[in-house]
């Protein structure tokens, strides 16, 4: 009898192991889905997601004016140096540096520096106190006025005229003490540099040679901190090939511009400034003289009527050659010199893989810490105690990650972090007690690690003895393996691992002596008496997302707005198509260019395989993810697909010709709630009119293929589409775009209102067991049915085994 009972127990245990996760999920409530941390907000008055403003949204905001002398720029310190709070020039830190860059195709004619300074009381009335240097050249000396010369906030301002000849492409501005303060002084002299200080520049364009090697200048300059603006010139009614070439070009400029943002506009004639002309032998802009077209042609020439402006001609005898010319530009396959080129062939490109966008942190392999920092930030992995902050003798650095939005942040999955670091303590001659620690947090919230790096006294004695024998610096190697729960990542595309290294209370006098000695040593070795501890994080430390599956309940407009997902899942947009009306208006073409630019920014890769089609060609792209653009009166797909869209009416008054969406009876909603636990009311109950929201962005499943996504940009009129493209380019408004649908009323952040409904489909794949548990956790009736079926099956198996045992016993068979 023992064998059948063991079989019964094994079957019961296996079934409980299968169902226990789903049962536990049911008793804990609905699991958090992959939607921004907006799920707790009521749909009537939703709260924006609690993620930081995306790095990718919005250019730096500085004043630009035109004058007879040229372009006048006002660059506040808070923008060009990211000094969002006052920085101090203080004893122990003699200088404040500010790095900024200027365009290579502009010449600075005049430069004025306006400094807003707040001195400490012991500095008032002293002469020749501060020195300002530009690229290591002294450009001015500042005397601190008496107390009567300060404003109510304790500040004073001063203006310095700078020699424009000292400015280059890359510049460093330094504010420092004229003479180092006396380290033995009881006073702590300091001067705060306000972030509202600014640099005013008057610049004029430099003449550029008509040479293809200068591209992408003057249309894009990586040193320009402002938004990239590009004008494309096409015919009044561009054909499909020209539209597709324009979309691919816009995505390239979006990828180049990155966080600055790119605004791409089209027109039918040459503007007063730089322009890019797209034309074929049959589709050319009227009134624009074109170079000879002998194939896929790229020509950089001067503007015919505006000296100094450039025109880039991308030409072809047909659409295929035009797209080849554009692809040669975006792939940097142009000759190194000359003003024109004819592209006969291009080398093959290896196909891209899912989730390999350049701006996304890799989820296919372990990622090194030094891959998460720019080249000029690599020194932030080491800390020797020379950069104190307000919290003491500590340093903080952030490893910024931009993760694919479809990482499945649910339950027990973890992300391993392998942290390696080397700590060198103070010299043994230093009588002060050793204090050193490291702390890791996720997004400055979730604590991941808090470790004391200081050694106990016995180990210090052994290290001191070993140093006397070996005469080498003492270094302690630490290694920590941290398990980061995936669910703590939430639904944010932007995440950061914040590292804080603390070397104990800040000794301002010791730091002052150390800096003074370094200033006077002239390359000599500083006295170790004032050496500070150092901690260096190994750049080969890793974080590994490769074990996390990719799945996202859809639709999710936050994923589209922040990262272009699901369209950027393939970075070259090989699975994406943008659908325009058959006769698109100029505003609709500009909206297409804005979306293509946004997708390029989201991936960091030019969308060289993007398809741009009209409605009559939609069958050709039925298998792709679709962005449908148009006004309520010009885009027929909005009428044909109205039953698939998450609202009742289009945002246009008098849309009575559309089919009515029937109200769902109460008893049907009640039964549906039994089957699947709803979190939001169904969106078909919502009605949108042009008086409420002249523009709407909506997400829903493609009626042409299950599992594919559609994002619709709808305007009451074609001109209203600009509200949507502007919202996608503005950081404040972009953060409010999420849910199933977002309406845009005006140009203020409050004018963007998101709406929610429960997911209706998914993007990605899950392991079968995880998928089963996920489905069961959200469907109460299905969970109980499965449990009932499992109990029934176990009961039948047990009954059969007992019956068999009883028959054998009655027959006298051995057990």
């Amino acid at each position: 009898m023992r064998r059948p009972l063991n079989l019964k127990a094994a079957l019961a245990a296996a079934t409980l192991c299968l169902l226990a996760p789903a049962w536990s999920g049911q008793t804990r409530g609905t699991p958090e889905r992959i939607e921004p941390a907006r799920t707790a907000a009521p749909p009537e008055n939703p709260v924006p997601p609690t993620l930081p403003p995306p790095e990718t949204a919005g250019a730096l905001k500085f004043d630009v004016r035109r004058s007879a002398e040229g372009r006048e720029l006002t660059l506040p310190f808070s923008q060009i140096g990211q000094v969002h709070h006052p920085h101090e020039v203080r004893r122990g830190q003699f200088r404040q540096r500010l790095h900024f860059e200027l365009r290579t195709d502009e010449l600075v004619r005049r430069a004025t520096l306006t400094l807003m300074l707040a001195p400490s009381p012991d500095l008032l009335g002293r002469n020749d106190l501060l020195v300002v240097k530009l690229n290591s050249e002294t450009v001015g000396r500042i005397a601190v006025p008496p107390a009567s010369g300060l404003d109510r906030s304790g500040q004073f301002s001063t203006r310095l005229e700078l020699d424009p000849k000292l400015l280059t492409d890359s510049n460093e501005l330094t504010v420092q003490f004229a003479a180092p303060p006396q380290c033995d002084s009881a006073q702590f002299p300091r001067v705060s540099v306000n972030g509202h200080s600014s640099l005013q520049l008057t610049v004029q364009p430099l003449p550029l040679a008509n040479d293809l090697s200068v591209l992408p200048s003057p249309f894009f300059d990586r040193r320009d901190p402002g938004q990239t603006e590009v004008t494309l010139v096409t015919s009044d009614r561009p054909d499909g090939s020209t539209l597709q070439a324009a979309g691919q070009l816009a995505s390239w400029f979006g990828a180049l511009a990155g966080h600055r943002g790119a605004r791409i506009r089209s027109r039918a004639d040459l503007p007063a400034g730089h322009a890019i002309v797209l034309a074929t032998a049959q589709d050319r802009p009227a009134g624009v003289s074109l170079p000879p077209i002998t194939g896929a042609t790229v020509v950089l020439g001067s503007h015919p009527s505006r000296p100094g402006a450039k025109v880039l001609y991308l030409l072809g005898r047909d659409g295929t050659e035009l797209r080849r010319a554009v692809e040669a530009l975006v792939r940097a396959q142009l000759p190194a010199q000359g003003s024109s080129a004819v592209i006969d062939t291009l080398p093959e490109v290896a196909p891209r893989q899912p989730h390999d966008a350049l701006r996304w942190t890799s989820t296919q392999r372990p990622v090194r810490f030094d891959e998460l920092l720019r080249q000029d930030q690599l020194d932030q992995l080491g800390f020797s105690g020379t950069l104190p902050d307000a919290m003491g003798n500590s340093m903080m650095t952030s490893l910024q990650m931009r993760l694919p939005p479809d990482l499945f942040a649910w339950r027990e999955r973890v992300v391993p972090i392998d942290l390696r670091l080397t700590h060198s303590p103070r010299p043994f001659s230093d009588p002060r007690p050793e204090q050193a620690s490291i702390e890791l947090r996720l997004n400055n919230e979730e604590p991941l690690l808090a470790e004391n790096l200081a050694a106990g006294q016995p180990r210090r004695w052994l290290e001191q003895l070993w140093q006397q024998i070996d005469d080498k610096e003492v270094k302690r190697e630490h290694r920590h393996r941290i398990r980061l729960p995936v669910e703590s990542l939430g639904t944010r595309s932007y995440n950061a691992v914040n590292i804080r290294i603390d070397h104990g209370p800040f000794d301002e006098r010791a730091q002052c002596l150390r800096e003074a000695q370094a200033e006077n040593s002239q390359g000599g070795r500083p006295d170790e008496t004032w050496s500070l501890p150092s901690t260096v994080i190994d750049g080969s430390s890793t974080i590994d997302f490769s074990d996390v599956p990719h799945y996202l309940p859809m639709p999710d407009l936050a994923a589209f707005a922040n990262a272009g997902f699901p369209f950027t899942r393939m970075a070259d947009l090989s699975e994406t198509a943008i659908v325009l009306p058959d006769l698109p208006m100029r505003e609709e073409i500009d909206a297409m260019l804005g979306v293509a630019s946004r997708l390029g920014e989201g991936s960091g890769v030019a969308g060289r395989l993007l398809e741009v089609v009209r409605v009559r060609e939609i069958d050709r792209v039925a298998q792709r993810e679709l962005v449908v653009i148009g006004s309520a009166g010009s885009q027929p797909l909005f009428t044909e697909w109205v039953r698939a869209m998450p609202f009742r009416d289009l945002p246009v008054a008098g849309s009575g010709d559309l089919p009515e969406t029937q109200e769902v009876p109460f008893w049907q909603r009640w039964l549906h709630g039994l089957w699947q636990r709803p979190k939001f009311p169904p969106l078909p109950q919502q009605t949108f009119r042009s008086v409420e929201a002249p523009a709407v962005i909506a997400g829903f499943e493609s009626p042409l293929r299950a599992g594919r996504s559609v994002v619709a940009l709808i305007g009451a009129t074609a001109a209203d589409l600009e509200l949507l493209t502007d919202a996608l380019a503005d950081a404040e408004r972009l953060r409010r775009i999420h849910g199933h649908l977002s309406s845009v009323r005006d140009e203020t952040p409050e004018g963007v209102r998101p709406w929610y409904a429960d997911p209706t489909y998914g993007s990605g794949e899950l392991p079968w067991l995880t998928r089963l548990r996920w489905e069961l956790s959200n469907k109460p009736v299905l969970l109980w049915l499965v449990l009932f079926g499992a109990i029934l099956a176990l009961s039948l198996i047990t009954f059969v085994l007992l019956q068999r045992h009883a028959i054998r016993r009655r027959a006298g068979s051995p057990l």
Side-chain angles (χ1 to χ4, degrees):
M1 183 174 179
R2 182 176 300 173
R3 183 175 302 169
L5 290 178
N6 284 343
L7 176 62
K8 171 187 173 184
L11 289 172
T15 305
L16 288 175
C17 289
L18 175 65
L19 296 178
W23 174 264
S24 64
Q26 181 64 25
T27 56
R28 295 179 188 176
T30 304
E32 181 184 1
R33 299 196 187 177
I34 311 291
E35 299 177 19
R38 50 194 186 265
T39 53
E44 292 79 8
N45 188 23
V47 177
T50 57
L51 41 139
E55 174 200 8
T56 59
L60 300 179
K61 301 183 185 302
F62 53 84
D63 294 333
V64 181
R65 294 190 302 111
R66 300 283 179 179
S67 69
E69 297 181 347
R71 199 164 65 115
E72 295 185 357
L73 308 178
T74 300
L75 310 180
F77 282 17
S78 59
Q79 293 291 322
I80 57 177
Q82 302 301 307
V83 185
H84 298 294
H85 52 84
H87 275 209
E88 289 187 337
V89 182
R90 56 189 285 180
R91 186 174 76 172
Q93 187 180 349
F94 298 155
R95 63 186 60 82
Q96 175 64 48
R97 292 186 175 96
L98 180 70
H99 182 78
F100 63 97
E101 296 181 323
L102 300 174
R103 288 181 65 101
T104 56
D105 60 348
E106 289 183 334
L107 178 66
V108 178
R109 290 296 186 186
R110 187 169 59 202
T112 304
L113 175 65
T114 301
L115 287 174
M116 299 178 65
L117 305 171
S120 58
D122 57 298
L123 297 180
L124 299 180
R126 294 177 58 178
N127 295 323
D128 197 26
L129 180 65
L130 296 175
V131 173
V132 180
K133 294 185 177 182
L134 177 62
N135 297 328
S136 300
E137 295 288 337
T138 300
V139 295
R141 294 178 177 270
I142 301 174
V144 178
S148 58
L150 305 181
D151 61 18
R152 292 182 179 179
S153 61
Q155 296 186 125
F156 73 98
S157 62
T158 184
R159 292 171 63 90
L160 296 174
E161 293 293 332
L162 307 180
D163 185 355
K165 297 177 182 178
L166 296 177
L167 291 164
T168 63
D169 298 343
S170 182
N171 303 277
E172 184 179 75
L173 188 68
T174 307
V175 181
Q176 66 183 63
F177 284 117
Q182 294 298 319
C183 298
D184 295 328
S185 172
Q187 300 294 329
F188 295 161
R190 64 197 67 204
V191 175
S192 294
V193 183
N194 195 303
H196 290 94
S197 302
S198 61
L199 184 66
Q200 297 85 35
L201 303 174
T202 301
V203 298
Q204 289 182 340
L206 277 174
L208 292 177
N210 292 330
D211 196 312
L212 296 177
S213 63
V214 304
L215 294 173
S217 293
F219 308 99
F220 167 78
D221 193 307
R222 67 175 182 83
R223 294 181 174 87
D224 189 345
Q227 185 182 60
T228 298
E229 297 185 0
V230 180
T231 300
L232 305 183
V233 180
T234 66
S235 64
D236 276 328
R237 297 292 183 184
D239 60 23
S241 296
T242 303
L243 290 173
Q244 183 167 331
Q248 294 167 350
L249 196 60
S251 71
W252 180 59
F253 278 111
L256 290 176
H259 67 277
R260 306 170 185 85
R263 189 59 187 265
I264 319 296
R265 290 184 172 89
S266 65
R267 54 188 294 166
D269 57 348
L270 285 177
H274 306 303
I276 300 177
V277 177
L278 301 172
T280 64
Q282 297 79 28
D283 182 29
R284 55 176 64 204
V288 178
S289 178
L290 302 178
I293 304 176
T294 58
T297 306
V298 182
V299 178
L300 181 63
S302 299
H303 196 289
S305 59
R306 297 284 181 173
K310 297 296 178 184
V311 179
L312 178 63
Y313 299 90
L314 300 172
L315 312 171
R317 290 171 294 191
D318 55 28
T320 301
E321 290 185 346
L322 172 60
R323 291 195 299 272
R324 188 192 308 155
V326 171
E327 188 166 353
L329 173 64
V330 302
R331 287 172 52 186
Q333 297 290 330
L334 298 176
Q337 58 184 0
S339 62
S340 64
V342 177
I343 312 301
D344 296 324
T345 59
L346 289 173
E348 293 291 330
V349 178
R352 300 196 71 92
Q353 301 301 313
H355 304 100
D356 69 347
L358 294 183
R359 289 212 169 90
W360 293 0
T361 301
S362 175
T363 58
Q364 311 302 320
R365 57 173 177 80
V367 179
R368 293 167 54 105
F369 278 18
D370 52 15
E371 295 180 62
L372 301 176
L373 294 172
R374 299 193 310 268
Q375 191 68 29
D376 59 340
Q377 293 177 318
L378 293 180
D379 59 346
Q380 294 183 12
L381 291 177
F383 174 49
S384 61
T386 59
L387 295 175
D389 63 14
M391 300 178 66
N393 192 23
S394 63
M395 180 215 60
M396 292 190 65
T397 188
S398 294
L399 304 178
Q400 300 290 336
M401 300 176 293
R402 189 175 185 182
L403 299 172
D406 62 341
L407 282 184
F408 190 63
W410 190 56
R411 297 288 169 82
E412 76 284 354
R413 298 275 181 177
V414 296
V415 175
I417 300 177
D418 184 7
L419 174 66
R420 308 178 186 188
L421 59 91
T422 302
H423 175 67
S424 299
R426 290 191 182 95
F428 298 107
S429 58
D430 193 329
R432 292 171 295 174
E434 183 183 4
Q435 300 182 48
S437 63
I438 183 172
E439 182 181 77
L440 266 72
R441 290 182 176 270
L442 178 67
N443 301 320
N444 277 324
E445 297 171 359
E446 298 288 338
L448 304 177
L449 171 70
E451 180 73 15
N452 185 7
L453 301 177
Q457 194 61 39
R459 182 172 180 178
R460 290 274 291 174
W461 288 337
L462 290 175
E463 289 174 345
Q464 183 176 7
L465 178 61
W466 182 255
Q467 186 184 39
Q468 292 174 351
I469 296 174
D470 200 28
D471 194 24
K472 289 184 179 179
E473 182 183 8
V474 174
K475 293 184 178 181
R476 303 175 191 150
E477 294 185 354
H478 297 256
R479 185 171 185 177
H480 303 276
R481 298 184 184 274
I482 306 164
R483 295 165 63 86
L484 168 64
V486 175
E487 61 184 353
S488 64
L489 296 171
T491 59
R492 293 179 271 205
S493 294
Y494 295 86
N495 286 270
V497 175
N498 308 110
I499 305 174
R500 182 186 177 200
I501 301 172
D502 196 334
H503 288 161
F506 176 61
D507 189 336
E508 190 166 12
R509 178 176 177 272
Q511 176 68 10
C512 181
L513 288 169
R514 187 174 186 272
E515 285 251 346
Q517 187 185 54
E519 288 277 329
N520 300 325
S521 63
Q522 297 181 353
R525 184 175 180 180
D527 184 358
E528 289 188 356
T529 304
W530 304 111
S531 295
L532 295 176
S534 66
T535 303
V536 178
I537 299 171
D538 193 337
S540 64
S541 303
T542 60
I543 182 169
D544 188 2
F545 295 92
S546 58
D547 192 43
V548 183
H550 291 268
Y551 181 80
L552 181 64
M554 299 290 285
D556 191 328
L557 290 182
F560 170 75
N562 285 286
F565 191 86
F567 307 95
T568 49
R569 175 181 173 273
M570 299 297 294
D572 55 5
L573 304 184
S574 58
E575 296 182 354
T576 297
I578 300 179
V579 184
L580 293 173
D582 286 332
L583 295 175
M585 290 180 277
R586 187 63 64 180
E587 294 87 352
E588 292 165 333
I589 295 174
D590 286 352
M592 178 272 292
L593 297 176
V595 171
S597 169
R598 186 69 191 152
L599 296 180
E601 185 283 326
S603 65
V605 177
R608 46 179 296 270
L609 298 181
L610 169 68
E611 291 273 1
V612 180
V613 300
R614 269 101 40 112
V615 173
R616 61 173 178 264
E617 305 167 302
I618 192 157
D619 291 339
R620 180 160 60 87
V621 295
Q623 306 302 313
R624 294 189 172 217
E625 316 275 1
L626 303 177
V627 179
V628 182
I629 298 174
S631 62
S634 67
Q635 180 56 270
L637 292 180
F638 296 153
T639 302
E640 296 176 18
W641 293 353
V642 69
R643 294 191 181 278
M645 299 169 76
F647 53 89
R648 178 185 301 170
D649 294 329
L650 297 176
V652 59
S655 55
D657 57 332
L658 298 176
E660 285 288 333
T661 301
Q662 300 296 325
E663 290 288 349
V664 180
F666 171 78
W667 65 271
Q668 290 186 16
R669 295 199 303 271
W670 183 78
L671 288 178
H672 181 76
L674 286 179
W675 172 252
Q676 180 167 346
R677 184 182 308 155
K679 300 178 74 175
F680 303 106
L683 276 181
Q685 298 178 12
Q686 308 293 345
T687 300
F688 298 91
R689 296 292 185 184
S690 59
V691 294
E692 294 180 358
V696 166
I697 179 171
F700 53 94
E701 188 174 15
S702 173
L704 304 180
R705 184 181 179 185
R708 290 295 192 181
S709 298
V710 175
V711 170
L713 275 68
I714 312 168
T717 64
D720 292 323
L721 291 170
E722 188 173 4
L723 285 172
L724 298 177
T725 53
D726 286 347
L728 290 172
D730 180 75
E732 293 300 320
R733 284 182 283 171
L734 182 140
R735 287 195 300 170
R736 300 176 68 92
I737 297 177
H738 40 78
H740 272 47
L741 181 146
S742 292
S743 60
V744 183
R745 185 178 64 250
D746 51 41
E747 297 179 353
T748 64
E750 295 74 20
V752 180
R753 186 180 184 188
W755 304 79
Y756 307 96
D758 290 312
T760 56
Y761 65 103
S763 172
E765 297 293 336
L766 291 175
W768 70 269
L769 184 58
T770 303
R771 182 60 180 264
L772 176 62
R773 295 163 57 208
W774 168 258
E775 295 294 340
L776 290 178
S777 67
N778 200 43
K779 293 181 171 60
V781 173
L782 181 59
L783 175 64
W784 285 108
L785 289 177
V786 172
L787 287 173
F788 177 77
I791 293 172
L792 180 62
L794 287 174
S795 301
L796 289 175
I797 293 173
T798 303
F799 176 77
V800 170
L801 292 176
L802 292 176
Q803 284 290 99
R804 181 182 175 187
H805 175 71
I807 292 173
R808 286 182 177 179
R809 185 179 58 183
R810 284 194 294 268
S813 300
L815 297 179

